[in-house]
């Protein structure tokens, strides 16, 4: 079965420190991977995606993610966290068994403290 | 501004009273879908549409209906809402039907069924 796992419900970091939000996936076929962010009372916003090519993907707001095929991971990273990065982050993978459907992880709440 | 607009943002209703949540996009996207978000479960797809008059079930379609009479609109209908449909609902659209483009999400509709 195709799935996405975000092993941490919550990640806490200090402002200015690097942050990592973890994601692992299981999919039959080529992995199309996405990260979305949800701020309070807002819809999900696209951050970045991996479809093919370079394993290091750069996205919005200074975020990047590294695709690792052998570890089936797609961790989200940022070199220096901001308090305004505090939000709920979702990893998602295209489900090849369903037409253009995304399978989402349960989400990781990132808390950046001053 | 490119956007997906959902209405209403908040809705409290009683069991069995039919309701419709509207969704409209202004990006001429082919693909639209509905998701529900529940704590610890991430987002799960309810229904999707690849184009006008083409709709199909997602992972959790029971108790929901949709229609796609115009390209821009994709309403979600609950004919007889029940308390287990209390959730946060998101409409999304994307340019491609191949799963390689990002989804644009509405701001969400928080539905409470009592």
């Amino acid at each position: 079965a195709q799935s996405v796992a975000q092993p941490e419900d919550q990640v806490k970091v200090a402002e200015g420190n690097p942050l990592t939000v973890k994601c692992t996936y299981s999919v039959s076929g080529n992995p199309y991977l996405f990260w979305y962010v949800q701020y309070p009372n807002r819809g999900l916003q696209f951050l970045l995606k991996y479809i093919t090519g370079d394993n290091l993907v750069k996205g919005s707001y200074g975020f990047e993610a590294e695709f690792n095929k052998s570890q089936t991971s797609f961790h989200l990273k940022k070199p220096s966290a901001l308090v305004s990065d505090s939000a709920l982050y979702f990893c998602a993978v295209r489900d090849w068994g369903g037409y253009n459907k995304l399978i989402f992880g349960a989400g990781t709440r990132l808390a950046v403290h001053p | 501004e490119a956007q997906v607009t959902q209405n209403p943002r908040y809705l409290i209703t009683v069991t069995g009273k039919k309701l419709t949540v509207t969704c409209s996009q202004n990006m001429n996207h082919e693909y639209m879908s509905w998701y529900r978000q529940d704590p610890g479960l991430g987002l799960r797809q309810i229904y999707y549409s690849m184009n006008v008059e083409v709709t199909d079930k997602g992972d959790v379609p029971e108790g929901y209906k949709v229609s796609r009479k115009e390209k821009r609109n994709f309403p979600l209908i609950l004919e007889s809402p029940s308390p287990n449909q209390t959730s946060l609902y998101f409409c999304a659209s994307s340019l491609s039907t191949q799963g390689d483009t990002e989804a644009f999400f509405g701001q969400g509709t928080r539905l409470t069924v009592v």
Side-chain angles (χ1 to χ4, degrees), chain B residues 8-77:
Chain B
R9 292 286 311 278
Y10 302 91
L11 180 59
I12 301 174
T13 190
V14 296
T15 299
K17 185 177 182 181
K18 181 180 178 179
L19 65 91
T20 299
V21 183
T22 63
C23 173
S24 181
Q25 52 96 1
N26 63 359
M27 295 166 280
N28 202 36
H29 284 172
E30 301 281 342
Y31 188 89
M32 297 185 74
S33 59
W34 277 101
Y35 290 87
R36 59 178 289 172
Q37 180 183 2
D38 301 291
L41 296 178
L43 281 78
R44 294 175 294 167
Q45 192 182 59
I46 302 170
Y47 267 94
Y48 67 91
S49 170
M50 293 184 288
N51 212 327
V52 175
E53 302 292 2
V54 182
T55 64
D56 206 349
K57 297 175 181 178
D59 289 326
V60 288
E62 293 77 22
Y64 305 95
K65 287 176 56 179
V66 294
S67 68
R68 186 97 180 268
K69 292 182 168 51
E70 306 165 281
K71 197 172 187 179
R72 64 184 295 124
N73 296 324
F74 190 46
L76 179 70
I77 303 157

Side-chain angles (χ1 to χ4, degrees), chain A:
Chain A
Q2 300 174 103
S3 63
V4 173
Q6 292 181 243
E8 300 154 317
D9 291 336
Q10 186 169 13
V11 171
K12 294 180 181 179
V13 298
E15 188 174 30
N17 282 359
L19 70 87
T20 299
V21 182
K22 295 180 180 178
C23 172
T24 59
Y25 65 90
S26 173
V27 63
S28 56
N30 293 327
Y32 288 3
L33 295 154
F34 301 81
W35 275 103
Y36 288 87
V37 60
Q38 184 180 28
Y39 298 103
N41 299 316
R42 302 290 298 276
L44 279 71
Q45 296 177 31
F46 169 76
L47 280 179
L48 50 79
K49 66 180 179 183
Y50 172 83
I51 303 298
T52 187
D54 212 351
N55 288 345
L56 184 63
V57 179
K58 294 189 183 296
S60 306
Y61 313 122
F63 284 94
E64 57 188 30
E66 186 167 10
F67 170 65
N68 188 316
K69 188 173 183 178
S70 62
Q71 297 187 3
T72 61
S73 67
F74 190 56
H75 301 330
L76 182 69
K77 301 181 180 184
K78 188 173 182 181
S80 179
L82 299 172
V83 172
S84 57
D85 292 330
S86 300
L88 186 57
Y89 290 81
F90 289 99
C91 182
V93 66
R94 190 206 194 277
D95 178 3
W96 290 100
Y99 211 99
N100 202 8
K101 186 179 72 175
L102 290 172
I103 298 173
F104 284 85
T108 299
R109 188 163 298 281
L110 174 66
V112 182
H113 55 86

